[in-house]
Amino acid sequence: MPSKGKSKAKASKGPSKPSTSSTIDPPAPFTRPSRKLDEFLTKLSKQHIYITHIDSKPEDFKKKIFMVPVLMNLLIMAGIFWRIRTIGPFYMKMCSSLMGRFNETTIDTNSIPWQDSVREVLRRTGIFMIDLLIYVFIWPWPRDFFAGRAIGNPVTWRFIVGFRDKEIVVRRSRRWDLNIGNVLDEDSEGSRLAMDNVRKAVDPIWMSERTGYLMLNREWDLDWKAMIQATKLVDKKTISLDDFKTTVLIHHDDFGWMAIESASAGGSAKEEEGRRKIIAFKDELTAIGKENLFFRWIELVQFESSGPDGFGPEQQRKTMAKAKEMFEAQGVDFDEFWKKIGGMEGMPGMDES
């Protein structure tokens, strides 16, 4: 994070419009984004934080994942249309009755007991409430899925982009970004919130376990329009696909668009290498059908490192001996396995001298 002497600049919260970037470089860990991204950046809102990355999950896997929300939203729409078809005539008759045309929905309070009138009013109130809840809470799901406009929608994105082995994913911060204030002020609660949310969002282990579509959560939206625009720029060869590697983009009044590449966003280069090693470790065990060893390894290291004597070199050697027994009990050559993924150097907690 930057020094406190540079923390008086204000973060931009104004509407998106082209602006001339300052000639002064932003403080670390921020850098200037690649000039190749200039055309893409003009299409982003300055009010939000963005994360770009390349989704390398297999095309068939992405198709299967996408079919789940498609089928779910089609079922919801079918249920809503069925509800409209069955309840629609009732509402039409109610409106007709309100206009003075007598029908079976008309309540003649002078000829029926008041208890029956109250019961009928409560019944109709229940019907109205059910339909109101459907309209307010359920209808927006298929509406936004098939026809959302503010940041686009998944159907338009898939219709234009299709399914690819390598896809550009653009995440956009949700409403929590309204409270971050000056992101360069390392002592502010808002800055810490922003950096915490960013670190979680770019964690390599978390990202390796899901395709882009599954990264929607309470902190981040997917910006479908930005994803379409980025893909079009790559298809036109205006920008390279590699320019959308894992990068955090934040706008600031004094510095314009600022970037943090994945190693800085997630921690030090050493921490990034450790995460990469863990991913390789897990993937290699999964490939040989021994994924359970990964979780047993994590449990073993966590248990041994939490002991009262710390986790110094001697304790690490004892842990490695236990791990070797655990691996070889399942037919995995411990020493050959580590050679295959490049050794233990860089593994968190396993590289102390």
Side-chain angles (χ1 to χ4, degrees):
M1 291 300 294
S3 62
K4 295 180 184 178
K6 296 195 177 183
S7 65
K8 293 185 179 179
K10 294 181 181 178
S12 172
K13 284 293 171 184
S16 178
K17 61 180 180 179
S19 63
T20 304
S21 298
S22 167
T23 57
I24 304 173
D25 287 334
F30 299 97
T31 61
R32 292 202 170 281
S34 168
R35 294 302 300 270
K36 297 177 184 177
L37 293 176
D38 284 353
E39 185 176 350
F40 172 71
L41 293 175
T42 61
K43 303 178 186 299
L44 303 182
S45 168
K46 296 175 183 178
Q47 296 177 324
H48 297 286
I49 299 173
Y50 292 85
I51 299 175
T52 67
H53 81 275
I54 299 168
D55 183 357
S56 300
K57 289 287 188 292
E59 182 180 326
D60 289 342
F61 177 72
K62 291 168 185 167
K63 288 180 180 177
K64 292 174 182 176
I65 292 295
F66 192 69
M67 284 306 297
V68 174
V70 168
L71 294 174
M72 182 186 74
N73 282 285
L74 286 174
L75 285 172
I76 291 173
M77 287 187 67
I80 290 174
F81 289 141
W82 172 84
R83 178 66 179 175
I84 292 172
R85 184 176 178 181
T86 56
I87 203 66
F90 172 74
Y91 285 118
M92 293 298 292
K93 290 176 181 178
M94 287 281 295
C95 291
S96 180
S97 178
L98 289 172
M99 290 186 290
R101 298 173 185 173
F102 184 86
N103 58 52
E104 61 266 35
T105 65
T106 305
I107 301 177
D108 185 358
T109 56
N110 293 322
S111 60
I112 63 173
W114 69 270
Q115 296 95 331
D116 292 344
S117 297
V118 171
R119 191 179 300 112
E120 182 62 20
V121 169
L122 292 175
R123 186 182 75 86
R124 293 185 184 186
T125 301
I127 293 172
F128 297 154
M129 287 301 299
I130 289 171
D131 292 326
L132 179 63
L133 292 173
I134 290 173
Y135 178 76
V136 172
F137 295 108
I138 299 179
W139 165 241
W141 296 352
R143 180 198 64 198
D144 292 345
F145 186 79
F146 291 104
R149 293 184 180 180
I151 54 174
N153 60 79
V155 172
T156 302
W157 168 60
R158 279 302 181 198
F159 182 78
I160 295 174
V161 173
F163 293 90
R164 310 183 183 198
D165 283 328
K166 288 191 174 182
E167 297 175 350
I168 299 166
V169 176
V170 181
R171 282 176 281 172
R172 191 180 85 167
S173 56
R174 288 184 181 263
R175 292 181 63 86
W176 58 265
D177 60 17
L178 297 174
N179 302 317
I180 64 174
N182 180 12
V183 75
L184 297 182
D185 182 2
E186 63 180 352
D187 293 328
S188 72
E189 190 66 31
S191 177
R192 286 194 289 269
L193 170 67
M195 291 300 105
D196 285 346
N197 284 342
V198 164
R199 288 190 188 98
K200 293 174 186 175
V202 299
D203 181 80
I205 298 176
W206 185 84
M207 291 177 66
S208 71
E209 294 174 344
R210 48 185 52 79
T211 186
Y213 191 84
L214 298 180
M215 292 184 178
L216 283 163
N217 55 31
R218 291 186 302 173
E219 285 77 36
W220 302 95
D221 266 323
L222 288 177
D223 194 322
W224 312 106
K225 280 186 178 178
M227 288 155 68
I228 292 170
Q229 291 159 350
T231 304
K232 286 181 176 179
L233 290 171
V234 170
D235 289 345
K236 291 190 298 184
K237 301 191 184 303
T238 304
I239 304 177
S240 166
L241 182 66
D242 290 338
D243 290 322
F244 290 99
K245 64 186 176 182
T246 307
T247 304
V248 181
L249 298 166
I250 304 174
H251 191 273
H252 195 277
D253 280 342
D254 292 348
F255 301 103
W257 282 102
M258 307 182 298
I260 318 177
E261 294 191 359
S262 58
S264 299
S268 66
K270 179 180 177 182
E271 290 169 335
E272 181 74 7
E273 174 63 15
R275 293 187 182 97
R276 189 196 66 77
K277 274 286 179 71
I278 290 176
I279 293 170
F281 179 34
K282 181 176 183 290
D283 288 347
E284 186 62 29
L285 286 172
T286 301
I288 61 175
K290 300 290 184 181
E291 189 176 9
N292 65 309
L293 275 176
F294 171 76
F295 298 107
R296 293 181 62 188
W297 158 275
I298 295 295
E299 290 174 358
L300 174 65
V301 173
Q302 287 180 340
F303 176 78
E304 296 294 339
S305 61
S306 62
D309 298 329
F311 202 53
E314 182 61 30
Q315 192 63 29
Q316 287 183 26
R317 282 192 289 272
K318 292 179 180 178
T319 302
M320 288 306 97
K322 293 178 182 179
K324 185 173 183 179
E325 292 178 7
M326 183 173 68
F327 271 59
E328 294 183 349
Q330 294 203 29
V332 179
D333 189 311
F334 189 74
D335 296 325
E336 286 298 319
F337 175 83
W338 281 107
K339 286 181 183 178
K340 195 170 183 179
I341 65 170
M344 295 183 191
E345 292 78 9
M347 286 287 285
M350 301 307 300
D351 53 0
E352 298 177 14
S353 57

